[in-house]
Amino acid sequence: MTRAVLVSSSAPPTVTEVDLADPAEGEALVDVTYSSVNYKDGLALARNPGVARVDPLVPGIDVVGRVSALGPGVHDVAIGDRVVLNGAGLGETRHGGWAEHAVVPSGSLVVLPDGLDDSVAAAIGTAGFTAMLSVLALERFVAPGDGPVLVTGASGGVGTVAIALLAARGYDVTASTGRLANEDSLRALGATGVVDRATLSEPGKPLQRAAWAGAVDSVGGATLANVIAATRWGGAVTACGLAQDAALPMTVMPFILRAVSLLGINSVDAPLPLRQQAWDRLATDLDPAVLAGVVRTVSLDEALRVGPEVVAGQVHGRTIVRVDA
């Protein structure tokens, strides 16, 4: 049995005791120290069928902790390893990290780099992991001296980490947010400019004044369409979210007239070598002190309240869940 948040179609979400099976072949048991509160976790609390695909479900798409048992045939990790896991079905198709213990697929576990604390790894979480995947993809097309790079959804988890990562690499970063009260915080992360998301969120012309060398988008919809339409020749835009809309109302003009590239980012199914590359870069590129200003810590009970706030866009930065307290 393990203490966990349980979401069920027959009762409101609650913190209770949950029975966990022993790790099967290809699985590991992790004693969880931290998880985090992500957009998907908020949707899981609301029993969104696109996220919560099993019933009942323990939310938590992030797990940070220490391996305490291994299933048959597991050689990827060893008992005692400090590990992190983002996505891989956690909190969607199988019980996730909002629990004192989690049984997870061992093939997706990344051993934490030395010097990276559990709490920092949780603060990075899926949001930061996704931001790093976005930066890795963007770097193939856009160099720091090529011009301004836009980060949409800048007050959210992906956006805040993306700003810090890009700024650390020398990019000129502009942040787009609907919460202009966060401007000082965004500039502290490394943004050199801040724009109101309202200037991007309505349908625009299919080809606009070229303003951006590249962009990291977690919003989708008309915002993503406008960003692509305003990207310079040979630039690139990464797409990892749909906070505004899953639709993409645009034409092919930016692609065929400006050779703009649209780069899809999928953190859930990322293969282990890419996961390892991303976490190695996070350990060297991201200053924990920069991230600390946009991180708060909550308990499992408090996470129940924070989840809906994240979905409503009311949370700035990252919220981590201290599980072993």
Side-chain angles (χ1 to χ4, degrees):
M1 301 294 288
T2 185
R3 185 171 178 267
V5 170
L6 190 66
V7 177
S8 169
S9 59
S10 60
T14 187
V15 178
T16 186
E17 295 291 319
V18 175
D19 189 17
L20 282 184
D22 293 333
E25 185 172 356
E27 294 182 332
L29 177 67
V30 176
D31 295 342
V32 182
T33 54
Y34 287 91
S35 185
S36 64
V37 185
N38 297 279
Y39 190 81
K40 279 187 176 180
D41 300 322
L43 293 178
L45 287 175
R47 291 296 309 167
N48 181 294
V51 174
R53 303 178 194 178
V54 295
D55 186 13
L57 174 71
V58 175
I61 64 175
D62 291 328
V63 162
V64 181
R66 193 174 296 273
V67 176
S68 59
L70 300 173
V74 173
H75 306 289
D76 315 281
V77 292
I79 292 176
D81 282 346
R82 288 192 315 120
V83 293
V84 59
L85 179 56
N86 313 110
L90 298 183
E92 297 185 74
T93 59
R94 61 188 300 154
H95 287 337
W98 288 13
E100 293 176 337
H101 306 88
V103 175
V104 303
S106 65
S108 297
L109 285 172
V110 174
V111 177
L112 280 174
D114 292 338
L116 193 62
D117 292 343
D118 288 16
S119 60
V120 175
I124 293 169
T126 288
F129 174 57
T130 303
M132 188 73 252
L133 292 178
S134 300
V135 172
L136 289 171
L138 196 66
E139 286 176 337
R140 306 200 313 264
F141 296 84
V142 183
D146 288 348
V149 171
L150 181 69
V151 176
T152 67
S155 291
V158 174
T160 51
V161 179
I163 292 169
L165 288 170
L166 288 166
R169 300 293 287 183
Y171 288 90
D172 177 10
V173 184
T174 297
S176 166
T177 181
R179 287 173 277 169
L180 295 179
N182 295 332
E183 179 171 352
D184 288 346
S185 176
L186 295 172
R187 288 186 181 275
L189 289 168
T192 58
V194 178
V195 298
D196 191 333
R197 71 180 178 198
T199 63
L200 297 167
S201 59
E202 297 298 325
K205 295 179 180 179
L207 202 64
Q208 301 172 26
R209 181 182 64 84
W212 315 114
V216 172
D217 178 73
S218 58
V219 176
T223 295
L224 176 56
N226 285 324
V227 171
I228 295 171
T231 297
R232 299 177 181 180
W233 195 98
V237 178
T238 67
C240 66
L242 40 68
Q244 181 181 17
D245 202 332
L248 187 55
M250 62 173 296
T251 73
V252 299
M253 293 303 183
F255 306 118
I256 64 175
L257 295 182
R258 290 189 182 153
V260 173
S261 296
L262 177 59
L263 312 174
I265 306 299
N266 175 356
S267 62
V268 174
D269 303 310
L272 185 58
L274 182 57
R275 290 176 181 272
Q276 189 68 62
Q277 180 188 10
W279 275 99
D280 286 346
R281 281 283 300 272
L282 284 162
T284 58
D285 289 17
L286 187 62
D287 182 356
V290 173
L291 192 60
V294 290
V295 176
R296 65 167 168 165
T297 304
V298 300
S299 66
L300 282 175
D301 295 277
E302 292 168 331
L304 290 169
R305 183 188 72 252
V306 177
E309 294 174 356
V310 171
V311 174
Q314 298 170 347
V315 174
H316 175 39
R318 297 285 293 144
T319 301
I320 63 175
V321 183
R322 178 71 186 267
V323 177
D324 65 346

